[in-house]
Amino acid sequence: MRQSALFTKTRREAPKDEVAKNAQLLIRAGYIHKEMAGAYSFLPLGLRTLDKIVGIIREEMDAIGGQEVHMTALQDRKNWEATGRWSDEAVDNWFKTKLKNGNEVGLGFTHEEPLTALMRDHIRSFRDLPASIYQFQTKFRNEERAKSGILRGREFLMKDLYSFNADPKAHEAFYERAKQAYVKIFERVGLGDRTFVTFASGGSFSKYSHEFQTLTDAGEDTIYVDPKKKIAVNKEVLNDEVLKDLGVERSDLKEEKAVEVGNIFSLGTRFSDALGLQFKDAEGKSRPVIMGSYGIGPSRVMGTIAEVMADDKGLVWPESVAPFGIHLVALYDEAGTVKKAADDLYEKLTKNGTEVLYDDRECSAGEKFSDSDLIGIPMRYVLSEKTLKAASIEKKDRRTGKVEMIGL
Ligand code: ATP
Ligand code: MG
């Protein structure tokens, strides 16, 4: 993409009411636009990064047999009444609205209820199991505080997968595979070394759920990390019994602030019982389906990467999620030789599939470099009169600052 054609502009200051570092940087670099507290629009650069995160998650969900769907955000109250989650007393962050005929509908904050109801049409016998279904979808939550930028939106993207198994053993096996898939996802997006599988409350269906918590001061959770075992315990469940279960010593644990980037849950038969999702086993006996749910917020992941990797000059993206792999910055000369060489190079790179943002704007070198630092593309190629004379490009690593001359 030619930067002169990119409609977004970088800016020096973020909006005054924006207090979160992730959103400040993403707004300044033109990745997102703040509509109001907790509601952000994704602009071309931001959408490219979000799509890359989504792509990585999709690959890992497909690899464990997930089948992708896209469900409606509008929620039929009867499914939620069946599980006792329709009332505002039971769930305090519902967005609800009314149809013209006066009937209330909800905007989905999660999708256990409608998917369980949907699966009644498709799961009849043990032969229809196992199944794992996922989607990427806009979720709505009337969050009380929305001060953390895209870490906590009132509208946000979620990947939610739901598993359906015939018995607890098959469920456990799938749950473990999903957990490993999550570990891979966070490694691939560049958060592996600071993301911990964290034991959290499991509700009434299993002793624990597992959160994936990424260390950052921007996080709202407190966790206790065992760096050697690479696990953590959420403060909410920290007690002697948990320590014993995990075989960790209290003195080995370090208190840290973290953000929950993912969460996996055993649901048991809570939803299948309430909504009547049953199958016939080999003996022809009806039994409830065992379920699990597995969530990740791609937009929260994007905000977390922005938050933890940025430096004082701006954003720093890992290659796997950067909007472009190379930022080609051309410093034009009067004669137009640099322009010609840069145009040629851009053509060649894009032709062989390299994703390049080409700064072809007529502006100062200083402006180009500071914009490039702010946008945070992992590799910068500078082409100038000076580098051209040496038939080379100056290659600079955004993260390490390491500069290298490479042959043109
Ligand atoms: P939190 O405790 O941070 O509010 P949660 O436990 O309510 O999160 P889940 O219901 O487990 O979140 O949702 C699954 C995933 O969706 C989370 O792990 C997170 O990545 C993402 N997520 C949840 N709420 C938000 C939000 N308001 N904005 C962005 N992402 C979110
Ligand atoms: Mg959670």
Side-chain angles (χ1 to χ4, degrees), residues 94-114:
W94 266 120
F95 274 113
K96 288 175 185 162
T97 185
K98 276 203 176 71
L99 301 179
K100 295 275 188 210
N101 67 10
N103 289 346
E104 259 190 314
V105 291
L107 301 181
F109 62 92
T110 182
H111 276 73
E112 280 85 359
E113 277 81 349

Side-chain angles (χ1 to χ4, degrees), residues 141 209 211 260 262-263 265 300:
R141 293 185 183 185
S209 74
E211 294 173 342
E260 180 206 301
N263 196 184
F265 251 99
R300 181 179 284 186

